[in-house]
Amino acid sequence: MLNNISLQGKRERRVIFCFLFFPVVLLCLFGIWPIVNLIYLSFTSWNGISESKEWVGFANYFKILQDPTYLTIFKTNLYYLVSGLLQMVVAMYFAIILSFKTWGQSFFRASFILPLLISGVAISMMFRLFFTGEGAFDQLLTFLGLEKFIGMWLGDPERVNYTLAGISLWRNIGRSFLLYLGAIQSIDPAYYKVAEMEGATFWHKVRYIILPNITTVLTLDFILLTIGVVSVFEMPFILMNGSNGTATVLVKTMKLAFDNKKFGMAASLSVLLTLVIALLTIIQRYVVIKRERRQL
Amino acid sequence: MKKILTGLFITSALLGGCAKKATEESQSEKIGGELTVVTNRTDADKLFEKIEKGFIEKYPEVKDIKWEAVADYDSNIMTRMTSDDYGDVLFVPFSMAGMPNEYPNYFESLGKVDEMTSDYLDVTEADFEDKVYGLPTALNSLGIIYNQELFDEAGIKEVPTTVPTFIEAAKKIKANTGSTPFYTNYQSVAIWAGALTSFGGEQFKSATLKEGDAFAKGQAIRQVMDLFYELASNKLIEEDPITLDSQAAQQKLAEGEIAMLMSGSQDVIPIQALAKDKKSKAIKIMNFPVETKGKTSLPLGASGVVGVSNKSANKTTARAFLDYFISGESGYAVDANGMSPVKADLTKEQQQTIEDSNVILTVATEKPEDDATYSKIAEEAGVARLTDVLQQVINIGLYPEKNEPYTDYVASLSKTWQEAAKLHAE
């Protein structure tokens, strides 16, 4: 009997090994190895094609941390943090409204999620047309009687980052909306029934039933948001090539690597970026856990 | 257990074996067999079919040519070249021009520079230590394409040949016709790199190295920057450079809404076809408004450079194909609205133009070590491509109150260049 069990265990292990072999090989080959390689590159000076990679130690890191231009780039990312917070609020508002029976419910739900399905390049092309001088957006403003605001939405250095952050809000709102809507719909309807019997208003329901029940999703969305903010790339790169003061950290990394052939520097910048994201996530987790403990 | 393990290893060995097979074939001296050609043209399947047919007719031993068209060529092929499998004949990525010492690691030498100069034009597009690693597929001249009708309307009698007269002409066009005088092509303003030899001579890089500052007054880059600043700050360019793409701009040039734009001679015929009468004779090309020896120069450059991979298993055939591809026979140059680099294949007319003008190559002819030092400094200073610098100049010109002053910007560039130059001073 005992022998039988151990034999079964052995067989089971064999099966597990067989099933895991290829996934693990693939993971190591395409997941772990590039990361290790990137970290190695960040300690070298390499032009991307030369056969020799010169070992420079921490020189790349020091250069980035000492150069003020890299810090100012982080400021550009702050525009997207603001738009991201706004996005959370707006998405929450609409998710609550559209989770109750409303006129045109499915149409509005779909229209929030649609931008998520369009590729970033297509969106960039769309908005380049949208924001041309006397283009669709300016016509819309004229129609609304707001002619005085017409200007160069992408050319004006004072406006362009707001424009891009606005596009990013429009594009990503679907993600937050979807998360919130799902969380709200999973709340047991019995809660609302009880609350209604107690004479709760709509606001009471939102404050005491919906919000407390979706905090987990809120934290998750906030973590996704921070990662997104640090790694904004598509819009400023495709639309603007990072010119006009729109270069974000990732755009700068791309330019370092492929325009200026400093692959080592670019690698260390991405390692730093990863560290920043990890740090932010850890801080957030820490805050959340602390708060949960307090509630218990 | 063992069986399974062996099975796994055999499968992976088989998988790996397939990839290796191709390189193990022996080198043959005869022209024949198969070729893989990697190109940057994703739009020319029919043309390639024709070329393949012509080549096989000439060398019946050749069985098949596989064409691989790669989009976003430069960055993709560079990644692919880190493997051994990048075709037998391929376009030489332009970004390698900054590191000529890498050519021998990836390409087969096609011959010596001085020997090839007698038979071909522009052999120094991809050269290192007196050896040629790539030849142009077609030659085009760069210049300013303009609309003669607008020039007439503005009262400009002669094509401007210096920067001041160029600016003056642009002002006249704006005042007298109301059209946009000049289109900057903001999104791909990097093409102005080809204008640098016209402004600073074929040896502008070593001249800059001697000067120690690429942004000092009179340097090639600075001259182009100043030109852009003058145009932008006087509002002589399109109103919103960021949203106007080059397709739309070419259409506007043909229709007389834009007077001038910078491009290669290959675009003249297509733009003429965009005009209302389909074949407008008013669309012409002029040289850059800068004179050397009292004459503007005709900047000749290659729209593509083609070479033979040194990992090819069939080098003789690859070389024969390259010769066929760039000759007048293949029809590739004509299709690209350019001329063949093979001197014997030039038409009388083309020979005449070349003799009459001050021909200058768009690729600097420098000693490799000067070339390498220059690129290293440019990369260190972050100005390896002109795009960022020129885009910033346009922005400063258009929105002077919302940016740092132009002089400050130039000064900061000078400073970074000089610091980078110190780092790489040998």
Side-chain angles (χ1 to χ4, degrees):
Chain A
M1 185 66 195
L2 207 68
N3 198 12
N4 215 351
I5 285 175
S6 82
L7 196 76
Q8 213 176 3
K10 218 175 178 184
R11 204 175 284 160
E12 215 165 69
R13 248 178 284 151
R14 207 179 288 170
V15 173
I16 291 174
F17 178 85
C18 289
F19 275 108
L20 277 183
F21 184 80
F22 280 113
V24 170
V25 166
L26 288 178
L27 180 73
C28 290
L29 211 62
F30 297 107
I32 314 260
W33 173 239
I35 294 176
V36 174
N37 208 11
L38 182 83
I39 294 174
Y40 164 68
L41 270 186
S42 74
F43 292 107
T44 63
S45 165
W46 186 44
N47 65 4
I49 189 159
S50 152
E51 271 163 11
S52 68
K53 296 177 186 127
E54 193 192 337
W55 181 266
V56 293
F58 280 95
N60 289 333
Y61 290 94
F62 287 136
K63 219 184 253 170
I64 291 170
L65 294 175
Q66 281 164 357
D67 193 341
T69 47
Y70 291 102
L71 273 181
T72 50
I73 296 167
F74 264 102
K75 268 190 220 154
T76 319
N77 288 59
L78 288 182
Y79 288 97
Y80 297 90
L81 180 68
V82 176
S83 93
L85 292 174
L86 203 64
Q87 167 198 322
M88 286 177 77
V89 174
V90 177
M92 171 83 75
Y93 176 78
F94 284 107
I96 291 173
I97 288 183
L98 290 176
S99 63
F100 292 103
K101 275 218 171 88
T102 344
W103 179 80
Q105 196 185 29
S106 36
F107 169 75
F108 286 114
R109 280 187 192 175
S111 61
F112 275 106
I113 295 161
L114 202 64
L116 267 187
L117 308 176
I118 311 175
S119 93
V121 181
I123 288 181
S124 302
M125 297 300 154
M126 254 166 63
F127 277 99
R128 188 177 290 165
L129 279 179
F130 190 60
F131 285 119
T132 41
E134 291 156 33
F137 189 63
D138 287 352
Q139 278 171 15
L140 185 73
L141 286 181
T142 318
F143 179 72
L144 296 173
L146 299 170
E147 290 98 334
K148 61 176 176 182
F149 292 110
I150 285 178
M152 295 302 157
W153 292 95
L154 293 168
D156 191 333
E158 277 178 3
R159 280 190 196 181
V160 62
N161 274 317
Y162 293 106
T163 312
L164 290 180
I167 298 174
S168 148
L169 188 149
W170 173 83
R171 167 133 205 246
N172 294 315
I173 201 163
R175 193 197 64 211
S176 301
F177 177 79
L178 209 60
L179 283 173
Y180 301 158
L181 191 70
I184 292 172
Q185 298 211 313
S186 67
I187 297 172
D188 192 340
Y191 287 131
Y192 301 121
K193 286 246 168 71
V194 175
E196 266 163 27
M197 273 192 265
E198 299 280 343
T201 59
F202 180 75
W203 169 244
H204 283 138
K205 279 191 248 176
V206 171
R207 174 68 188 82
Y208 295 105
I209 300 174
I210 296 180
L211 285 183
N213 272 304
I214 62 169
T215 40
T216 335
V217 172
L218 270 181
T219 1
L220 171 74
D221 195 33
F222 191 63
I223 291 174
L224 287 177
L225 173 72
T226 16
I227 296 175
V229 165
V230 180
S231 50
V232 187
F233 174 68
E234 274 173 333
M235 295 301 143
F237 187 72
I238 302 170
L239 257 177
M240 303 294 303
N241 179 34
S243 68
N244 221 357
T246 59
T248 59
V249 182
L250 261 193
V251 172
K252 184 78 186 168
T253 317
M254 266 296 279
K255 287 195 164 268
L256 268 180
F258 295 103
D259 282 6
N260 294 320
K261 305 275 178 308
K262 289 195 243 180
F263 280 76
M265 280 281 267
S268 19
L269 196 57
S270 10
V271 170
L272 280 178
L273 198 65
T274 317
L275 289 181
V276 169
I277 291 177
L279 194 74
L280 285 176
T281 319
I282 290 169
I283 293 173
Q284 280 170 359
R285 289 304 303 158
Y286 181 73
V287 171
V288 169
I289 289 169
K290 219 176 162 188
R291 208 186 49 205
E292 274 170 5
R293 284 227 183 97
R294 215 186 300 139
Q295 277 172 354
L296 290 173
Chain B
M1 184 71 204
K2 257 189 195 156
K3 255 187 210 162
I4 294 168
L5 269 184
T6 3
L8 284 177
F9 284 126
I10 288 173
T11 350
S12 37
L14 276 178
L15 283 173
C18 292
K20 269 208 173 146
K21 216 175 145 193
T23 48
E24 278 164 8
E25 269 170 34
S26 62
Q27 290 283 335
S28 65
E29 292 300 312
K30 265 197 286 173
I31 293 170
E34 285 182 9
L35 275 185
T36 305
V37 184
V38 185
T39 75
N40 60 3
R41 293 271 305 265
T42 48
D43 60 332
D45 289 351
K46 280 218 179 106
L47 173 69
F48 289 153
E49 229 168 76
K50 210 188 95 203
I51 294 175
E52 178 174 349
K53 226 172 137 194
F55 183 65
I56 293 180
E57 240 162 58
K58 202 170 172 191
Y59 300 102
E61 294 282 295
V62 179
K63 274 187 228 118
D64 188 26
I65 297 174
K66 270 188 223 128
W67 298 87
E68 287 178 25
V70 176
D72 192 9
Y73 189 80
D74 260 43
S75 43
N76 287 337
I77 198 73
M78 288 287 264
T79 318
R80 188 163 159 192
M81 275 162 60
T82 50
S83 78
D84 279 352
D85 174 29
Y86 48 91
D88 300 298
V89 178
L90 71 155
F91 280 51
V92 179
F94 281 113
S95 28
M96 271 182 87
M99 33 194 163
N101 53 321
E102 297 291 341
Y103 286 130
N105 296 336
Y106 296 93
F107 293 99
E108 194 69 11
S109 161
L110 303 173
K112 288 228 167 101
V113 171
D114 11 314
E115 284 165 19
M116 296 193 84
T117 328
S118 54
D119 295 335
Y120 301 93
L121 287 164
D122 192 18
V123 296
T124 49
E125 286 278 345
D127 66 318
F128 181 64
E129 288 184 339
D130 206 33
K131 278 187 187 144
V132 177
Y133 292 93
L135 284 171
T137 52
L139 288 174
N140 290 106
S141 68
L142 274 181
I144 313 271
I145 300 182
Y146 65 99
N147 192 327
Q148 183 69 48
E149 279 168 16
L150 284 174
F151 272 44
D152 294 343
E153 207 182 319
I156 302 161
K157 303 245 159 52
E158 271 172 32
V159 166
T161 56
T162 58
V163 171
T165 51
F166 186 80
I167 305 278
E168 207 178 295
K171 281 182 181 159
K172 266 190 195 162
I173 290 167
K174 184 161 184 179
N176 299 348
T177 70
S179 294
T180 307
F182 185 77
Y183 169 66
T184 57
N185 204 353
Y186 187 88
Q187 299 286 351
S188 32
V189 75
I191 50 170
W192 276 84
L196 290 179
T197 51
S198 297
F199 283 88
E202 274 175 25
Q203 258 107 40
F204 79 91
K205 288 183 180 175
S206 40
T208 300
L209 288 179
K210 219 176 263 171
E211 172 80 26
D213 179 7
F215 299 97
K217 196 117 195 127
Q219 292 296 311
I221 293 182
R222 178 71 189 276
Q223 284 189 45
V224 174
M225 283 168 70
D226 285 349
L227 173 65
F228 267 84
Y229 180 71
E230 280 294 308
L231 288 169
S233 61
N234 287 309
K235 307 278 181 279
L236 299 172
I237 58 170
E238 69 271 24
E239 204 184 9
D240 191 13
I242 290 148
T243 49
L244 184 60
D245 63 280
S246 60
Q247 293 285 325
Q250 292 186 351
Q251 182 69 46
K252 284 188 170 180
L253 182 88
E255 283 166 6
E257 282 174 54
I258 289 176
M260 297 182 272
L261 57 84
M262 187 275 215
S263 199
S265 57
Q266 68 269 28
D267 285 338
V268 175
I269 294 170
I271 295 178
Q272 286 177 342
L274 288 176
K276 274 202 192 95
D277 53 0
K278 294 287 168 206
K279 240 184 164 179
S280 172
K281 285 277 171 266
I283 309 296
K284 294 177 182 169
I285 187 163
M286 63 170 153
N287 294 334
F288 290 112
V290 58
E291 289 179 343
T292 34
K293 298 174 212 146
K295 229 161 115 187
T296 56
S297 31
L298 178 76
L300 274 188
S303 50
V305 180
V306 65
V308 172
S309 155
N310 66 354
K311 273 120 193 154
S312 164
N314 202 354
K315 283 175 190 158
T316 329
T317 318
R319 180 63 209 269
F321 179 75
L322 189 147
D323 287 335
Y324 179 77
F325 192 66
I326 64 171
S327 69
E329 220 176 317
S330 80
Y332 186 83
V334 174
D335 181 79
N337 294 326
M339 50 193 186
S340 163
V342 184
K343 279 188 182 164
D345 288 355
L346 290 180
T347 63
K348 278 228 172 84
E349 217 176 303
Q350 288 166 337
Q351 271 166 350
Q352 196 62 42
T353 344
I354 287 173
E355 270 165 36
D356 288 351
S357 13
N358 214 347
V359 171
I360 204 162
L361 299 178
T362 55
V363 171
T365 49
E366 300 273 4
K367 279 182 274 170
E369 56 271 24
D370 284 346
D371 229 349
T373 322
Y374 183 90
S375 318
K376 266 189 198 150
I377 297 173
E379 281 160 13
E380 185 67 41
V383 293
R385 287 176 77 179
L386 281 183
T387 323
D388 295 354
V389 175
L390 288 180
Q391 288 185 342
Q392 185 63 21
V393 170
I394 293 170
N395 286 328
I396 292 174
L398 284 180
Y399 301 94
E401 70 284 2
K402 290 169 185 173
N403 276 301
E404 57 180 336
Y406 180 60
T407 44
D408 286 10
Y409 180 61
V410 173
S412 74
L413 284 173
S414 280
K415 206 175 137 236
T416 39
W417 183 279
Q418 283 166 0
E419 275 168 15
K422 250 183 243 158
L423 267 176
H424 290 283
E426 261 109 355

